[in-house]
Structure formats: structure tokens, C-alpha cells
Amino acid sequence: MSHPTDPIFVLDSGLGGLTVVRALLDRLPYERIVYFGDTARLPYGSKTRPTITHFVKQIIGWSERHHPKHVVVACNTASALALPEVRAAFPHIHISGVIEPGARAAAGASGKNEPLIGIIATEATIRSRAYEIAIRKRRQRARLLMTATPLLVPMIEEGRRNDDPLVELALRQYLRQMTRDRIDALVLGCTHYPLLKPAIRRIVGEDVAVIDSAQQCAEDVAARLVEAGTAATMGLMMGPASEDRSRLSAFVTDDPDRLARLGADFLGFGVEAPTLVPPEVLYQQDAGSLGLPAMTVPEISA
Ligand code: DGL
């Protein structure tokens, strides 16, 4: 049984899900958030459904020690490929993703009868056709132009941002057809991409609605918490809402120092002492669930 004071657990392959954390902290000022970035195994976008599903199941299994009242799969790739199977594996946990909120925003972004909507995402997300299905459910007549943009995640994780010439070059190549065909809206179908919004906006122009699903996702989570009766309210706090940084604890499977260094680009504040959870800890859980003997692997704070 979940309680309003339990945390929201947010996961991604790397740092991209922090764009969703930022939106959640803004929208839900009384919630605590536990973030998990699977940085050792990033990128998910070039992997297959069984691998991604296995990783996400391991992480949600690990999350149970924090007793989350809600799990947000803040990764489009994992939402597109793993969500139904993961929900079936953890029927006692409320789990939501980012595709449906993003598709809802895309479907409402243009007043035109047959809008041309561009979608950029990882190879796995594009291959899954998850956005196409989710948008068409709401706007049957929308025309869609989809492009996989696999170079963007490694560049963002490397710390490259909007004025970097490699970023500019990659975006111009990837968005060439979309600008030529004059899209009406562009879905940033990966939680890393909002970091490049200024550069994307420069290329597509001011008239194109650029949709990042983080805010929509935060609205969606807020509604789900209210529906489940688990939303944290001011009355539950000991005093005034604590500042954003103290409401967030973060875990990564590799290089906690990098999260501490780059986290501020996503959040507007630095992440204090992220904790390392080596992937062995997650595989050890698999061994435990198969009844195999487990070795002890410590978690380490940066
Ligand atoms: N941030 C992720 C997404 O939203 C995935 C990036 C990756 O690991 O390829 O798709």
C-alpha cells in the first residue's frame, strides 16, 4: 500500500530523464524524487526490445527498496519498447511513460486539418512506431515525418550543447527534410533532446511548435497521483517545501562524478553525492530471483 510521503522513482538510460525530473519538481513541489540513470549501459536507443525490457525490469526491481508510489519511465526508448511487459511484471506498482503524454501534446499542437508533424528519436523508438500509433489514435489525418537521430544522445552525454559545431552539423543534417517540407510541429522524442532546444529552434524556426514531453509527463503524473490518492500535499510536510536539491536523490550505474558535473545543465542545480549502483548489483538481483547464491557488491557514494 503506497503512502503520499513515498517517493516518485524516475528512470532513464542516462541523464536525459533529468529533464522530466525538472518538470516534476516544478509541478509537484511537495514530492520527493529518486532518480536512476543507467549510465553504464547507455545508449538504449541502439538496443533491442528484449535487452531494454530486461534492463528496465532490473531497475524497477531495484527501485522497490525505496517503496516508490509511482515509477516514471522517463525514457522514450524504454517507454516505446518495454512498458506493457514491465507493467505486467510489476502489477502492484503504478508505472507510466513519456510517449503518451508527448503524443497528446503533438496531436494538439497544430490547428491545421492535416498537420505535418516531425518526430526525432532514437533508432529503437522510431522502429517501434510507438509515436505514430499514439498520435494517429488522436489525429488520424496527421502526416508524420520520422527521423532517427542516434548521434544526439552520445553528444549530449558528452557535454556538447547548443553552440557546439558538431551538434549544429548533426542537427542540420537530421532536420534537413523536415525544414524543406515545412513541418508544423516537431516532437523531441527523447528525453535528452530538450537540452538542444535552442539549437533546434534556430534551425526549424519560430513557427514550428517544438514539443518536449517533460512538462506533459509531469501533468500526467500529477493527475495519476491524485487519482491514486497518493499525491503529497503541504499538510504532510513538516515545514515549508524543502528546496529542489534536497528533494532529489540520484543513483547511476557508472560515473557518479559526471552526473554531479553535468546534472546542473538539466536541472538548474547540481546533484549532490549521486550514488553508484554497479550493474552487478542489478544482475545479482536476477540471480537472487532464480535462487542462485549472490555475492555482495557495495553501492558507493561519489
Ligand atoms: N533518453 C532516452 C530516450 O528518451 C534514451 C537515450 C538512449 O539511451 O539511447 O529515448
Side-chain angles (χ1 to χ4, degrees):
M1 181 67 185
S2 293
H3 190 269
T5 54
D6 292 333
I8 300 169
F9 186 84
V10 181
L11 70 95
D12 181 36
S13 58
L15 307 185
L18 291 173
T19 57
V20 174
V21 169
R22 175 71 268 168
L24 287 169
L25 288 169
D26 286 346
R27 176 65 182 78
L28 301 164
Y30 306 114
E31 302 290 350
R32 280 188 306 120
I33 294 174
V34 176
Y35 184 75
F36 194 103
D38 195 3
T39 47
R41 303 187 291 185
L42 169 130
Y44 282 10
S46 54
K47 296 186 172 62
T48 57
R49 186 187 300 270
T51 305
I52 296 167
T53 305
H54 182 203
F55 291 172
V56 177
K57 278 186 187 167
Q58 285 180 323
I59 297 168
I60 297 181
W62 181 89
S63 81
E64 295 207 66
R65 68 191 63 198
H66 293 279
H67 202 261
K69 62 183 173 189
H70 191 91
V71 170
V72 184
V73 179
C75 172
N76 287 264
T77 310
S79 300
L81 279 91
L83 210 51
E85 218 180 299
V86 164
R87 279 185 173 138
F90 298 93
H92 54 292
I93 303 182
H94 294 274
I95 304 173
S96 62
V98 281
I99 300 270
E100 286 294 325
R104 203 175 305 133
S110 167
K112 287 192 185 163
N113 203 19
E114 290 185 21
L116 180 59
I117 301 174
I119 300 161
I120 52 172
T122 65
E123 284 175 288
T125 302
I126 296 293
R127 232 185 302 122
S128 75
R129 302 180 59 208
Y131 267 107
E132 192 180 338
I133 295 163
I135 293 173
R136 288 220 189 281
K137 247 186 353 203
R138 297 167 170 93
R139 285 292 288 268
Q140 273 179 7
R141 300 178 69 153
R143 292 169 301 139
L144 305 179
L145 201 50
M146 291 175 284
T147 303
T149 49
L151 291 177
L152 300 184
V153 168
M155 288 200 279
I156 293 165
E157 291 274 332
E158 206 187 313
R160 292 180 188 272
R161 298 290 179 261
N162 293 283
D163 294 322
D164 187 290
L166 277 183
V167 168
E168 174 86 17
L169 183 65
L171 283 174
R172 285 204 181 276
Q173 290 286 333
Y174 283 143
L175 296 170
R176 177 171 293 170
Q177 195 188 344
M178 295 192 186
T179 47
R180 205 182 44 213
D181 292 358
R182 296 180 180 280
I183 48 169
D184 299 297
L186 175 64
V187 178
L188 307 185
C190 171
T191 51
H192 283 73
Y193 299 172
L195 269 272
L196 303 182
K197 212 168 175 177
I200 291 170
R201 161 80 54 224
R202 261 197 321 263
I203 294 168
V204 297
E206 291 299 322
D207 295 339
V208 174
V210 177
I211 295 156
D212 114 38
S213 53
Q215 240 168 336
Q216 293 292 325
C217 174
E219 288 301 332
D220 179 63
V221 173
R224 287 170 187 269
L225 294 181
V226 170
E227 198 186 319
T230 55
T233 54
M234 187 158 58
L236 290 166
M237 311 280 295
M238 298 303 286
S242 37
E243 57 169 5
D244 288 347
R245 90 178 55 234
S246 64
R247 290 194 286 133
L248 173 67
S249 40
F251 299 82
V252 284
T253 49
D254 192 22
D255 202 353
D257 291 333
R258 206 158 55 90
L259 174 67
R261 205 172 58 248
L262 298 179
D265 288 1
F266 294 77
L267 292 163
F269 59 88
V271 180
E272 277 165 22
T275 301
L276 176 67
V277 181
E280 289 79 358
V281 169
L282 304 174
Y283 289 107
Q284 194 179 293
Q285 261 176 201
D286 291 346
S289 63
L290 292 171
L292 302 172
M295 1 168 264
T296 310
V297 183
E299 292 172 11
I300 305 158
S301 277

